[in-house]
Amino acid sequence: MSFAWLLRRLLLMVYTVVVVSVLVFAITQALPADAAQTLLGENASPEALAAIRSRLGLDDPVWLQFTHWVAHAAIGNFGVSMRTGLPVAPEMLTALSRSLLLAAGALVVTLLIAVPLGIFAALRKGRPADTATSVVAYLGVSLPEFVTATVLALLLTDILPWLPATGYVSPLEDAGPALRHLILPVLTVSVILVAHVMRMMRSETLDVLQSDYVRAARLKGLPERTVLVRHVMRNALLPVITIVALDVGYLLGGIIVIEEIFAVPGIGRALMIAITTRDLPSIQAGAMIMAVTYAITNTLADVVYALLDRRISYD
């Protein structure tokens, strides 16, 4: 991995964020909402509306409003929420930390289950164990999140009352209740991810098992465990890393349903509330924070991919 490639990849990430910022600003400008009216209410006088528009720069040309917004957003200042009257950035970053905690838990569970299960299925290709894991994977991919969430909630909160159905507790307040509140949403998200990653891991493992270097390693007399760990797992995991990075994007964008069902106050839920209340600064902040997180995650995945596979030359 050369420095020039890394620099180009970072510039591409910055370019992506800039394009997203233009789209986010343009979309929020097109929404049928009057920021001044939202702030002051329906009974505000025309003089008060004119004063607040002048103070917020809403009468300025669009390009000037965009420049001011980008300049402030670059230093983490997304303005004040129209709904709460509080600064938007701390609220959104707190919500993001909750979503990242949920996403991290789901990824850990996914990797711990999907990688060994994918290898297990590949090593038993065509046997009943392979068929059974494939059927379970298809079910996991096919079931919508709300169905999985409903089934798990019925099983683990009603039939077996082991876990709370909804709510969120910060791990900084009390680790035990925090973990119990996270289990259901983490399991719900993991069902889809495990099925997705397991299928990819099985497919890549089958390809690697038929490669010449695996045959050569076996002909050298290396133990089967060494062949699997040193040659099969390492090479089969490379495409899976990209899939996992893309799944992080799904987690941050598609986790809205999970956060709504289990009342987790993450960034997806915060963004939905902002959209329904036409809270433009919160919409802009939420969308940009998710876009930047997604761009950073994909860049890190590319870097890890290049570091793990030295056959890849980036010059």
Side-chain angles (χ1 to χ4, degrees):
M1 181 178 64
S2 66
F3 176 75
W5 173 83
L6 182 60
L7 182 61
R8 284 200 301 272
R9 193 64 187 82
L10 291 175
L11 290 175
L12 179 61
M13 182 184 71
V14 174
Y15 172 76
T16 303
V17 172
V18 170
V19 171
V20 170
S21 69
V22 173
L23 292 175
V24 168
F25 186 81
I27 291 172
T28 51
Q29 288 294 309
L31 288 175
D34 186 340
Q37 196 79 62
T38 304
L39 279 172
L40 299 181
E42 296 295 331
N43 298 322
S45 65
E47 294 78 13
L49 291 173
I52 195 69
R53 288 193 182 103
S54 175
R55 184 167 67 84
L56 296 177
L58 299 178
D59 295 328
D60 294 337
V62 174
W63 67 267
L64 187 57
Q65 293 184 45
F66 175 72
T67 304
H68 287 161
W69 177 70
V70 168
H72 286 90
I75 58 175
N77 180 8
F78 287 94
V80 176
S81 168
M82 296 178 180
R83 183 174 57 86
T84 64
L86 299 173
V88 169
E91 182 181 356
M92 283 295 172
L93 289 176
T94 301
L96 177 65
S97 68
R98 295 164 183 157
S99 295
L100 289 178
L101 180 63
L102 176 56
L107 281 179
V108 170
V109 171
T110 297
L111 292 177
L112 288 177
I113 297 176
V115 171
L117 202 57
I119 297 175
F120 174 81
L123 294 176
R124 288 158 180 77
K125 180 185 176 184
R127 299 180 186 176
D130 179 32
T131 304
T133 53
S134 297
V135 170
V136 172
Y138 278 116
L139 282 175
V141 171
S142 304
L143 290 176
E145 292 96 336
F146 68 89
V147 174
T148 306
T150 303
V151 172
L152 288 176
L154 285 173
L155 178 63
L156 298 177
T157 64
D158 289 345
I159 299 175
L160 303 171
W162 294 343
L163 299 172
T166 59
Y168 174 84
V169 176
S170 171
L172 300 177
E173 297 175 3
D174 199 332
L179 180 61
R180 294 183 71 242
H181 279 84
L182 276 177
I183 289 177
L184 266 180
V186 164
L187 286 179
T188 304
V189 177
S190 300
V191 167
I192 296 176
L193 294 183
V194 165
H196 193 202
V197 176
M198 192 276 283
R199 292 173 63 191
M200 174 61 69
M201 191 68 200
R202 177 187 178 277
S203 173
E204 294 299 326
T205 301
L206 286 174
D207 289 342
V208 175
L209 285 172
Q210 297 172 357
S211 62
D212 292 337
Y213 54 85
V214 169
R215 292 196 191 97
R218 283 173 170 165
L219 289 174
K220 288 179 184 177
L222 290 177
E224 189 63 18
R225 178 174 296 180
T226 303
V227 174
L228 286 177
V229 174
R230 186 181 299 173
H231 297 284
V232 177
M233 278 190 64
R234 179 173 180 177
N235 292 285
L237 275 172
L238 293 176
V240 175
I241 291 173
T242 304
I243 295 299
V244 170
L246 294 174
D247 284 339
V248 172
Y250 154 76
L251 282 173
L252 295 177
I255 212 167
I256 294 174
V257 176
I258 306 301
E259 292 180 349
E260 280 292 322
I261 292 175
F262 294 109
V264 178
I267 193 166
R269 196 161 187 244
L271 190 56
M272 283 300 296
I273 294 173
I275 292 173
T276 54
T277 57
R278 293 291 191 272
D279 188 352
L280 298 185
S282 295
I283 295 173
Q284 294 168 337
M288 285 307 303
I289 288 174
M290 292 176 73
V292 170
T293 304
Y294 187 64
I296 291 175
T297 304
N298 275 276
T299 302
L300 287 176
D302 285 350
V303 172
V304 171
Y305 195 99
L307 290 174
L308 290 178
D309 192 350
R310 297 179 181 177
R311 296 169 302 173
I312 299 174
S313 175
Y314 295 104
D315 53 13

